[in-house]
Amino acid sequence: LAKIEGHDAEILALSFTRPDSYWHYLVSASRDRLIHVFDIRRDYELVQTISDHSAIVTSVKFVEKPNDSQLTLLSCSADKSVRFRTGFKTGSHQLQFQTYQHVQEKSTFNDMEIPQSRDRVVTGCQDRQIRTYELSSGKLLSSFKSGSTEDSGMIVNVALDPSSTYLAAAGSDKCIFLHDLQSGDRLASLYGHSEMITGLKFTNDCKRLISISGDGCIFVWRLSNEVVKNIRTKMRGQGYEPEISADTPNPNRKGETQLSPHSEYVLPIMDILSSSKQSETELTDSSVAGQSTPEKKRKQCPNPPT
């Protein structure tokens, strides 16, 4: 559709405005410390370049509500800051952003997520803290530590489920931790990747968590029935109807396991390799609650988990 050349270094983050919003923009962030805003309706024309960070920009997010004329742009950086900006139209009808709040911490911000309520921002930091800030004021609302030990490395990715009930955090230690966002309690620890995890995403049907890594593998983890039920119940309470996937768990199919209410919160069911080959991973209930590893070695996967 389009090829855009705008940065002099590696692009680290991209964000679109929501399809149901009043706005139609794309924002990019890079190691060159610049943020570019593009107008989708004008063939991705560059409308603004923002250069208020003093180090690489690690994440950018648009925040807007359906049928709302207000647009907020958030960015976090290795300069240990989060910047809150509001968008407005100039006399020439060009979009421009101005900073209305600036948060400074003692640790680098590596990633951000916006809850379903769109009134907060959840951040993952180098000191393994998950910090939540109020969108309107930048006030720190809560903070908890993710990980199992003091030397677990830094948090590099965070992801929220569609209801914003659970948070998945991935660290440089190659592990994923599932937390209750409100209490900060750690519900599960996931092991399997042999290199640093570079991305996390919950599926829209609320049944899977997808992780990607520098080891060339994509793992798909199945959430327990209890967790799926909690997510869908909360979504309905928020006025959203969760998507229902076409596939239904079948206990007789290889790679599928019916989980009891007291089973693990998350289990890996499949990895999709970089060679585009797809195969099932056998499951086993771990004797340690809340921990999960693939049972079989993956010969095609570099340094496969054991």
Side-chain angles (χ1 to χ4, degrees):
L1 295 178
K3 181 181 179 181
I4 309 169
E5 296 182 2
H7 290 284
D8 295 327
E10 178 186 2
I11 296 173
L12 299 178
L14 294 168
S15 179
F16 283 95
T17 51
R18 294 171 59 93
D20 57 357
S21 76
Y22 172 81
W23 307 90
H24 301 85
Y25 291 93
L26 167 68
V27 63
S28 62
S30 168
R31 288 188 181 275
D32 61 12
R33 302 179 295 177
L34 298 179
I35 298 171
H36 291 325
V37 182
F38 302 93
D39 190 335
I40 298 174
R41 293 169 297 184
R42 296 187 177 183
D43 196 23
Y44 294 91
E45 174 187 344
L46 178 65
V47 297
Q48 186 179 7
T49 296
I50 303 172
S51 58
D52 50 7
H53 282 293
S54 60
I56 65 173
V57 183
T58 54
S59 184
V60 287
K61 298 288 184 184
F62 280 126
V63 186
E64 75 280 15
K65 297 181 179 181
N67 304 317
D68 192 346
S69 60
Q70 183 176 353
L71 180 63
T72 301
L73 175 62
L74 306 179
S75 64
C76 62
S77 167
D79 62 12
K80 306 176 183 179
S81 72
V82 179
R83 289 188 174 270
F84 301 69
R85 307 175 187 84
T86 185
F88 64 95
K89 290 290 186 72
T90 64
S92 58
H93 301 287
Q94 287 287 340
L95 177 69
Q96 294 292 302
F97 287 95
Q98 286 187 345
T99 300
Y100 68 86
Q101 191 56 256
H102 176 213
V103 172
Q104 193 76 37
E105 294 287 354
K106 297 181 180 180
S107 180
T108 295
F109 294 91
N110 287 328
D111 200 11
M112 300 185 299
E113 272 283 71
I114 308 299
Q116 185 64 46
S117 59
R118 305 180 206 174
D119 59 355
R120 295 165 291 158
V121 55
V122 181
T123 64
C125 304
Q126 192 169 13
D127 60 2
R128 299 202 69 90
Q129 290 289 330
I130 304 297
R131 296 181 171 91
T132 301
Y133 298 91
E134 188 177 50
L135 193 64
S136 60
S137 66
K139 177 183 177 181
L140 179 64
L141 299 177
S142 66
S143 177
F144 62 87
K145 200 175 190 70
S146 176
S148 55
T149 67
E150 292 296 326
D151 300 322
S152 296
M154 61 181 177
I155 295 297
V156 292
N157 295 104
V158 292
L160 293 171
D161 73 81
S163 71
S164 303
T165 303
Y166 301 103
L167 175 131
S172 57
D173 56 1
K174 312 165 193 174
C175 299
I176 304 171
F177 302 96
L178 185 68
H179 295 272
D180 182 295
L181 180 61
Q182 184 173 1
S183 66
D185 293 341
R186 179 163 57 90
L187 307 177
S189 301
L190 314 180
Y191 307 95
H193 285 291
S194 58
E195 296 293 338
M196 186 172 72
I197 296 164
T198 56
L200 292 170
K201 180 68 175 179
F202 285 91
T203 57
N204 291 336
D205 63 4
C206 313
K207 296 168 61 176
R208 309 281 192 264
L209 171 66
I210 302 172
S211 60
I212 61 175
S213 166
D215 59 15
C217 295
I218 301 175
F219 283 174
V220 182
W221 311 80
R222 185 175 70 249
L223 303 176
S224 73
N225 295 337
E226 179 184 354
V227 168
V228 173
K229 180 180 178 181
N230 290 342
I231 294 173
R232 290 179 171 175
T233 299
K234 186 168 183 180
M235 287 185 68
R236 292 187 178 99
Q238 296 168 342
Y240 298 93
E241 188 63 30
E243 293 185 9
I244 303 299
S245 59
D247 63 304
T248 302
N250 184 349
N252 297 320
R253 190 174 68 186
K254 182 181 178 181
E256 292 284 358
T257 298
Q258 292 283 47
L259 303 182
S260 67
H262 302 290
S263 297
E264 298 169 289
Y265 279 89
V266 185
L267 286 174
I269 63 168
M270 181 188 301
D271 65 65
I272 306 172
L273 306 181
S274 56
S275 61
S276 299
K277 292 182 179 179
Q278 184 170 316
S279 56
E280 296 279 352
T281 300
E282 289 187 4
L283 302 182
T284 179
D285 287 343
S286 171
S287 58
V288 181
Q291 293 190 357
S292 176
T293 56
E295 182 182 13
K296 281 192 172 182
K297 288 187 176 182
R298 313 295 311 169
K299 291 183 179 180
Q300 303 96 326
C301 190
N303 300 320
T306 56

